[in-house]
Amino acid sequence: MGRPPCCDKVGVKKGPWTPEEDIILVSYIQEHGPGNWRAVPTNTGLLRCSKSCRLRWTNYLRPGIKRGNFTDHEEKMIIHLQALLGNRWAAIASYLPQRTDNDIKNYWNTHLKKKLEKLQTGSEKGQLRDGLSSSASQSISKGQWERRLQTDIHMAKQALCEALSPEKPSFLPAGELNTSNAQSSSSSSSTYASSAENIARLLKGWMRNSPKSASSNSAATSKNFARGGPTESTSSEETPSTKANINNNLNNHNGMELPEYFESLFALESLDSSNSELSQSMSPDESSFFQDHHHDSKQYDPTSAQMSLLEKWLCDDQQGKDHYNLISDLKLDEHTDIF
DNA sequence: AACTTGGGCAACCGCCGGGAC
DNA sequence: TGTCCCGGCGGTTGCCCAAGT
């Protein structure tokens, strides 16, 4: 018999999240920072289990998440990393700070896997075999296993180096970045502005499809907001205290009423879109860093931006590079001299 | 226009590892 | 040292929607 569920299932709501729930969660995290998920349902009145709250935050509401189509560059990175690391989506996601592991996993399963299978069975089989075939066949050769080990060691070294050099802005994976910001700094408003952007982006679509009041028609609008799902009427489920929480939390942060607050969120979104234009001229790592810190851009110096050797390789479009040459190019020191 | 089917994606489930006690 | 709890992870499911018939 397995371990009991993380929360008792009675009275725990499942299924798509509603706008109200998102707002409650975001405003709670704005106040307390991410973490201690166990306490979140209790303190917010959300009828969700702690795990569900954490998942919603990390996969959807977390600052700096980029949605929409994957770029060619991202696609290549995923293919490379999957060949190297296998289905370790969290590790892969750490190299794509704007994407969640869930997103990458979904993209792999729905797009890339089929694409590669097609290519493998097609005429390009020979050209793509190196580095890609293993991912499709799921078998791991000795060489690949060794490369995976090398990558792990390298990643650990890099993380250690970054941890030991606090004065430098480093390209930490998004999770680490956000967590450190959220938990350590009292001036975390800039960090959470990004989560407000996420909320704003969602709310915009939600309100567009809902000419009535945003707060009075959650049943109909949550369908558009939370990407469909059998959304039972949340307004009928809402307790007075929940409603009070929403307004209370919103007012706590900005001293605004609901519509005003939404407007300010939309203003943030336009800021975001202007950033996205800027970020198109940057490498993904640069732009992700910039987006995460766009309120603090003074600290960012592109010329001093550090990228790991592996990242440099991943950004390199020379697809045909031999992996063994690659590893030697990485100039790994004698401690990782497996080959 | 109505129905079917498959793709895409958010969310859930169950296992695992690490830290606290 | 053993147990419990929490958070992280990867696999899977379920539902919406668009394309096809």
Side-chain angles (χ1 to χ4, degrees):
Chain A
M1 186 166 160
R3 89 206 305 268
C6 65
C7 47
D8 81 19
K9 305 223 174 196
V10 184
V12 172
K13 195 181 164 200
K14 292 208 271 184
W17 280 65
T18 64
E20 288 89 350
E21 289 175 316
D22 281 338
I23 291 168
I24 292 169
L25 181 60
V26 168
S27 48
Y28 176 83
I29 293 173
Q30 277 184 321
E31 244 181 276
H32 299 92
N36 194 15
W37 296 106
R38 183 90 172 161
V40 172
T42 318
N43 294 343
T44 58
L46 285 169
L47 300 173
R48 298 277 182 172
C49 76
S50 55
K51 218 172 188 179
S52 182
C53 294
R54 181 175 56 81
L55 233 56
R56 182 64 178 172
W57 172 258
T58 55
N59 286 339
Y60 211 74
L61 302 171
R62 179 165 60 82
I65 291 179
K66 181 172 148 193
R67 312 207 72 81
N69 294 338
F70 280 70
T71 64
D72 283 348
H73 175 81
E74 288 173 319
E75 196 175 302
K76 284 173 189 170
M77 284 185 77
I78 293 168
I79 292 170
H80 273 306
L81 286 164
Q82 207 280 342
L84 276 170
L85 304 171
N87 293 358
R88 295 159 71 203
W89 307 116
I92 293 171
S94 70
Y95 281 92
L96 292 159
Q98 292 178 297
R99 301 289 187 180
T100 68
D101 54 353
N102 207 34
D103 260 352
I104 294 170
K105 180 172 59 181
N106 283 334
Y107 189 66
W108 174 265
N109 287 331
T110 56
H111 293 90
L112 296 179
K113 209 157 113 183
K114 291 171 196 167
K115 207 171 176 178
L116 289 175
E117 277 168 5
K118 229 180 224 175
L119 285 172
Q120 203 184 14
T121 55
S123 60
E124 293 177 59
K125 183 179 178 179
Q127 295 168 23
L128 285 167
R129 223 164 49 120
D130 184 20
L132 300 183
S133 59
S134 57
S135 60
S137 66
Q138 300 291 324
S139 65
I140 301 172
S141 67
K142 180 170 177 274
Q144 193 184 8
W145 181 86
E146 287 170 348
R147 287 194 292 277
R148 182 182 292 186
L149 184 62
Q150 286 276 17
T151 307
D152 282 347
I153 293 166
H154 183 65
M155 286 168 76
K157 282 172 61 184
Q158 190 194 345
L160 185 62
C161 287
E162 286 172 347
L164 293 173
S165 53
E167 75 280 0
K168 278 187 272 185
S170 59
F171 292 106
L172 287 172
E176 295 167 39
L177 227 169
N178 296 329
T179 304
S180 61
N181 277 351
Q183 290 176 340
S184 63
S185 69
S186 57
S187 60
S188 60
S189 60
S190 63
T191 304
Y192 292 113
S194 297
S195 67
E197 290 163 24
N198 282 336
I199 282 280
R201 191 165 50 228
L202 297 164
L203 284 169
K204 194 173 183 181
W206 172 45
M207 291 180 77
R208 192 188 308 125
N209 292 295
S210 155
K212 292 180 185 178
S213 135
S215 58
S216 66
N217 197 13
S218 62
T221 54
S222 59
K223 183 181 175 182
N224 297 317
F225 182 87
R227 209 210 156 276
T231 49
E232 62 267 54
S233 168
T234 52
S235 55
S236 63
E237 291 175 6
E238 263 175 19
T239 61
S241 64
T242 312
K243 281 185 176 173
N245 275 343
I246 297 170
N247 282 321
N248 205 16
N249 285 326
L250 295 176
N251 288 334
N252 276 348
H253 293 294
N254 298 313
M256 297 180 218
E257 295 302 326
L258 209 54
E260 196 181 347
Y261 181 68
F262 288 164
E263 280 175 30
S264 76
L265 291 174
F266 297 155
L268 279 171
E269 188 195 31
S270 60
L271 178 67
D272 183 39
S273 60
S274 66
N275 278 345
S276 68
E277 284 179 21
L278 175 64
S279 66
Q280 283 182 350
S281 63
M282 298 178 178
S283 76
D285 284 313
E286 286 168 345
S287 60
S288 69
F289 180 87
F290 187 78
Q291 283 180 356
D292 281 341
H293 293 78
H294 63 258
H295 294 287
D296 196 14
S297 55
K298 273 181 263 178
Q299 293 176 10
Y300 177 63
D301 175 12
T303 59
S304 68
Q306 280 192 322
M307 293 178 78
S308 75
L309 293 165
L310 178 57
E311 283 166 332
K312 280 178 180 169
W313 168 63
L314 289 165
C315 294
D316 186 0
D317 280 343
Q318 288 180 314
Q319 299 284 308
K321 203 171 184 180
D322 179 77
H323 281 158
Y324 286 89
N325 289 337
L326 161 75
I327 295 299
S328 58
D329 286 343
L330 290 175
K331 297 177 184 171
L332 295 167
D333 65 28
E334 64 279 5
H335 300 295
T336 58
D337 190 16
I338 290 176
F339 300 108

